[in-house]
Amino acid sequence: MRIWRNDKAGLSYKKAMFIFEDDMQQEDELFDISRTIWQSFSSEQLVRADCKLDPIQTFALQWVYCHLSDHQVVMLGVDRTAGYQLAADMLNEPIDTLSEEDEQDAVVELVNCICGQLDRDHPANECFSLPKFLTPESMDTLLNSLNKLSDLVANVGGRLFYIALFKAKHVESHGGVE
Amino acid sequence: MKILIVDDSRAMQQIVKRGLEKLGYDNLEIELASSGADALDLAKKWQPNLILSDWHMPEMTGLELMHELSKAMLDIDIGFVTTESSPERIKEATDAGALFIVSKPFDVETLHNAVLPTLQKIGIKDSALESESQMPQSEDTKLDLVMPKSESLQKALKLLTVKEISVSEKDIDDPKASWLPCVIGLFGFDNKKNIKVVIVFDILSAMILGANSESVSKTMIDASIKDKVIPKNVIANCERALHMISLVINREIDSRELTMISMSTLTTNIDKLAALVGRKGVTRFDYDVSNKDYSDGRIIILCP
């Protein structure tokens, strides 16, 4: 059963949080939303994989993050080939005609839609941010400021897809992380 | 019908464009803009009927684009296709006159429902009412409709409104100028063009049923009634109310399903309304619709 509550542990966290009774439910919802949105854009199926992945060790993926609120972050890693396939499906154009900008545009829109759906399902009374790409250096800094709430790995056309939800370790006086 | 899609994402531009093309409308012209500034330039030159805009764009947001269009005195319908869902932003958009907000990703049906009022307004205006040929000519094609119960209508329409409403049966009157403008929905079976049912909302019932969100203030409703202008967002909500009534009627008839052929507004011509409701052989049912602020709204169901 899904639970809605304000985080009592930190009084600075006044906004409703995306918290479940167990990690499995949170992962299930993350996966369901990711799959629904991926498959609304692409003919490729998103299939859950029974494995774990450490973002900090997986530079080969393309990483994008988005603040759901001041204290919650969604991070998505996707293989570039899968990103190109997504762009080809979204634009309805052959892969070999697409630019890197097209691929990044498609991935950003994917993350934007996933976060939009999470925001609709768990309104936090805050605007979620626009997705941004992560470099290995900025990923290090960001991950150091976050605690992972849940994550999952999936396959799309045999390529890796990873999505995780994080919570800020500390909320600054202005209420943000980074 | 000219539609301008504004999105800084080329992928989303194409998805929205394909969504519109799938609706299958004739003479649909679509242009794309990737920024608010480009959209504004194009809107001035090309004069689209409808703008479908993203909310979050660099330099000029969708809302800022709306304000710029308004400053430029461009009377263009605008709706948003966006991931934005905060109630404050939605209120900002609807207060500024946005007709709808479609959440990304969307399905074709959702997009269709959103753009339908504008497309119909552009496409048919009052002309459908003038087309006598659309009316069934022989008696054997007439639908044998039993008067829908006012309780059923009230229950169905209540689903669309935040305020309590009451619906009761009413004696038939001659149409009055005070009923105008009216919202009129024409319905047929199985997407065929023969009109089987006509539903009319006078301005009061249109405002009672259409101004059903908390964002529409009583002051705004009073002004609309006084000025005899039904706002665009109210017309869009009236379409849902028309559909809801058709569902109630569907329950009264066997197997075949009524679908909306078109929706239009009749603004000034009371004779046209009188001709429509007073046509020989037409079965007519009248209802009063009221809420705590307004009474004597008129719903007319006609079976030609």
Side-chain angles (χ1 to χ4, degrees):
Chain A
M1 185 181 159
R2 198 155 68 191
I3 293 176
W4 272 93
R5 64 177 171 87
N6 286 329
D7 190 339
K8 306 289 187 205
L11 289 178
S12 57
Y13 293 179
K14 289 178 180 160
K15 309 297 192 301
M17 288 194 64
F18 181 27
I19 292 173
F20 294 80
E21 277 183 350
D22 57 55
D23 290 349
M24 194 61 80
Q25 281 184 314
Q26 203 167 51
E27 283 177 23
D28 286 348
E29 179 168 352
L30 264 183
F31 177 69
D32 287 345
I33 289 175
S34 302
R35 183 180 55 186
T36 302
I37 291 175
W38 180 282
Q39 289 175 194
S40 74
F41 293 137
S42 175
S43 51
E44 290 281 6
Q45 302 290 301
L46 191 73
V47 182
R48 201 159 173 173
D50 186 20
C51 61
K52 285 286 171 190
L53 179 153
D54 182 1
I56 213 85
Q57 303 289 332
T58 321
F59 299 135
L61 298 186
Q62 180 165 231
W63 291 96
V64 189
Y65 76 103
C66 176
H67 281 268
L68 272 186
S69 65
D70 279 344
H71 47 271
Q72 285 194 298
V73 174
V74 169
M75 187 184 286
L76 182 135
V78 65
D79 180 279
R80 277 184 194 275
T81 306
Y84 270 96
Q85 184 58 55
L86 177 70
D89 287 336
M90 287 171 99
L91 289 161
N92 202 21
E93 292 174 13
I95 284 188
D96 56 8
T97 64
L98 302 179
S99 65
E100 189 178 347
E101 197 183 334
D102 290 329
E103 189 266 342
Q104 291 187 344
D105 174 39
V107 172
V108 163
E109 277 304 319
L110 173 75
V111 177
N112 198 23
C113 288
I114 290 172
C115 290
Q117 189 59 53
L118 284 168
D119 189 57
R120 279 193 291 281
D121 291 350
H122 306 276
N125 297 324
E126 293 174 41
C127 298
F128 69 90
S129 70
L130 292 178
K132 291 176 190 159
F133 282 95
L134 277 166
T135 60
E137 298 75 31
S138 59
M139 180 190 278
D140 217 13
T141 312
L142 183 67
L143 287 176
N144 279 332
S145 67
L146 301 170
N147 282 325
K148 191 163 63 188
L149 292 172
S150 62
D151 67 342
L152 66 97
V153 181
N155 273 310
V156 57
R159 305 283 174 172
L160 267 182
F161 174 100
Y162 171 86
I163 187 162
L165 181 71
F166 294 91
K167 177 181 162 184
K169 282 180 182 164
H170 306 289
V171 177
E172 307 291 344
S173 56
H174 62 275
V177 287
E178 275 189 303
Chain B
M1 293 175 228
K2 298 197 283 189
I3 301 182
L4 174 59
I5 298 167
V6 191
D7 203 307
D8 58 321
S9 160
R10 196 165 84 83
M12 281 316 299
Q13 285 179 349
Q14 291 302 320
I15 287 168
V16 176
K17 182 169 183 269
R18 282 204 302 276
L20 289 170
E21 286 167 348
K22 278 182 192 165
L23 303 181
Y25 283 91
D26 293 334
N27 306 320
L28 195 61
E29 294 174 60
I30 298 172
E31 287 285 343
L32 307 173
S34 53
S35 70
D38 287 352
L40 195 58
D41 285 346
L42 201 48
K44 286 174 184 168
K45 288 179 202 150
W46 191 52
Q47 300 271 322
N49 304 108
L50 175 65
I51 293 177
L52 291 176
S53 178
D54 187 16
W55 186 286
H56 298 287
M57 294 181 288
E59 292 163 21
M60 189 189 290
T61 66
L63 189 64
E64 287 165 345
L65 170 62
M66 270 192 88
H67 291 312
E68 290 301 319
L69 289 165
S70 175
K71 269 193 229 167
M73 308 282 280
L74 293 168
D75 182 23
I76 300 169
D77 285 354
I78 185 161
F80 288 102
V81 181
T82 177
T83 50
E84 184 56 63
S85 63
S86 75
E88 294 82 9
R89 297 289 178 92
I90 289 172
K91 184 174 183 314
E92 260 185 282
T94 51
D95 285 354
L99 289 186
F100 55 81
I101 296 183
V102 171
S103 296
K104 294 179 193 173
F106 55 84
D107 54 36
V108 172
E109 193 184 345
T110 305
L111 184 67
H112 194 192
N113 287 339
V115 302
L116 195 60
T118 301
L119 295 182
Q120 287 179 335
K121 187 179 71 179
I122 298 158
I124 64 159
K125 297 197 169 116
D126 290 349
S127 60
L129 298 176
E130 290 163 3
S131 175
E132 288 286 312
S133 61
Q134 288 187 311
M135 296 286 192
Q137 298 300 313
S138 64
E139 201 58 30
D140 60 357
T141 61
K142 187 175 166 177
L143 176 65
D144 190 17
L145 181 65
V146 178
M147 183 176 200
K149 291 191 179 87
S150 55
E151 296 82 12
S152 306
L153 292 178
Q154 180 173 308
K155 199 170 165 187
L157 293 170
K158 177 69 189 75
L159 296 172
L160 301 174
T161 62
V162 292
K163 290 176 185 163
E164 284 297 328
I165 60 162
S166 67
V167 178
S168 55
E169 284 146 27
K170 183 99 178 164
D171 290 340
I172 290 170
D173 280 344
D174 289 335
K176 300 177 179 66
S178 62
W179 291 1
L180 297 176
C182 290
V183 175
I184 299 174
L186 307 178
F187 293 83
F189 282 130
D190 309 323
N191 296 316
K192 291 193 178 128
K193 296 292 177 193
N194 274 348
I195 297 166
K196 295 292 182 185
V197 171
V198 180
I199 304 170
V200 181
F201 296 159
D202 77 337
I203 181 167
L204 258 175
S205 65
M207 295 307 295
I208 290 168
L209 298 170
N212 55 22
S213 78
E214 283 159 344
S215 65
V216 184
S217 67
K218 187 169 184 308
T219 314
M220 201 184 292
I221 296 174
D222 288 341
S224 297
I225 293 169
K226 181 172 169 282
D227 297 341
K228 298 184 87 52
V229 173
I230 305 175
K232 290 170 189 168
N233 55 341
V234 171
I235 290 177
N237 289 333
C238 283
E239 191 205 349
R240 294 186 189 99
L242 289 167
H243 274 298
M244 201 54 97
I245 294 174
S246 76
L247 293 177
V248 174
I249 296 171
N250 275 336
R251 283 207 299 267
E252 304 283 347
I253 53 183
D254 292 334
S255 62
R256 301 172 77 190
E257 191 173 326
L258 283 173
T259 52
M260 188 182 273
I261 297 168
S262 64
M263 185 177 82
S264 58
T265 53
L266 181 63
T267 50
T268 55
N269 194 338
I270 190 65
D271 294 337
K272 203 184 282 182
L273 182 63
L276 178 74
V277 301
R279 193 183 155 90
K280 196 178 170 192
V282 167
T283 308
R284 174 179 162 183
F285 306 121
D286 281 29
Y287 300 87
D288 173 278
V289 58
S290 307
N291 63 17
K292 72 179 175 61
D293 297 319
Y294 302 95
S295 56
D296 290 332
R298 176 77 59 144
I299 298 173
I300 301 171
I301 299 175
L302 301 167
C303 203

